[in-house]
Amino acid sequence: MKLIISSVSGEPIYEQIKDQIRAAVLSGELAAGEALPSLRKLAKELRISVLTVTRAYNELADEGIVENIQGKGTFVMSQGTELMKRRARTRIKRIFDETCTAAKAADIPLLDLMTMLEESYKDQS
């Protein structure tokens, strides 16, 4: 897993780290039980503070995505992927509800809405 951070993105570095690790877990690039780079190693690679990496790892642990094991490291939790998928489904459902409400208010037919969704989905590939 290769993390890329930007100091000019406006997003805090620890958030960039969390987002990229979440994406790697969801995509299967990081499997359950797999170790993340050590705090010091990642901090050195990214040329950032160990405290920044610690914050990212701790927040991911609080979310149930990774587990910090004293003296051994940080590992992807087996239920981390499923938890993230459930949260993503909930978030997407909420967005769909808002989108459908807006589409009905604008009198956009369901078939047109589905076409728009399909186009957006294909654009992301």
Side-chain angles (χ1 to χ4, degrees):
M1 178 187 70
K2 180 75 174 159
L3 297 178
I4 300 168
I5 58 167
S6 169
S7 58
V8 295
S9 75
E11 184 179 24
I13 292 172
Y14 72 92
E15 286 289 347
Q16 293 177 50
I17 293 169
K18 286 171 40 182
D19 290 345
Q20 291 179 54
I21 290 174
R22 275 192 213 104
V25 171
L26 271 177
S27 73
E29 183 181 352
L30 284 174
E34 192 169 340
L36 297 181
S38 74
L39 297 171
R40 286 182 180 84
K41 179 181 177 190
L42 186 57
K44 185 177 179 182
E45 282 178 15
L46 298 177
R47 295 187 177 111
I48 60 173
S49 167
V50 172
L51 294 175
T52 302
V53 179
T54 301
R55 181 172 181 178
Y57 281 16
N58 286 341
E59 289 188 13
L60 287 168
D62 290 344
E63 294 174 20
I65 297 167
V66 300
E67 179 180 22
N68 296 319
I69 300 176
Q70 186 70 30
K72 293 192 176 186
T74 303
F75 300 85
V76 177
M77 301 234 351
S78 58
Q79 72 272 20
T81 303
E82 286 307 312
L83 176 66
M84 287 175 37
K85 285 182 181 178
R86 280 195 308 272
R87 286 181 180 166
R89 285 181 185 274
T90 300
R91 188 178 73 249
I92 292 166
K93 171 72 168 90
R94 187 172 48 249
I95 292 167
F96 280 175
D97 289 345
E98 293 170 9
T99 302
C100 289
T101 300
K104 283 184 176 186
D107 207 24
I108 296 173
L110 178 59
L111 189 57
D112 291 351
L113 187 61
M114 291 172 63
T115 301
M116 291 166 41
L117 173 62
E118 184 179 21
E119 288 170 359
S120 292
Y121 191 86
K122 287 179 179 177
D123 287 346
Q124 298 300 314
S125 300

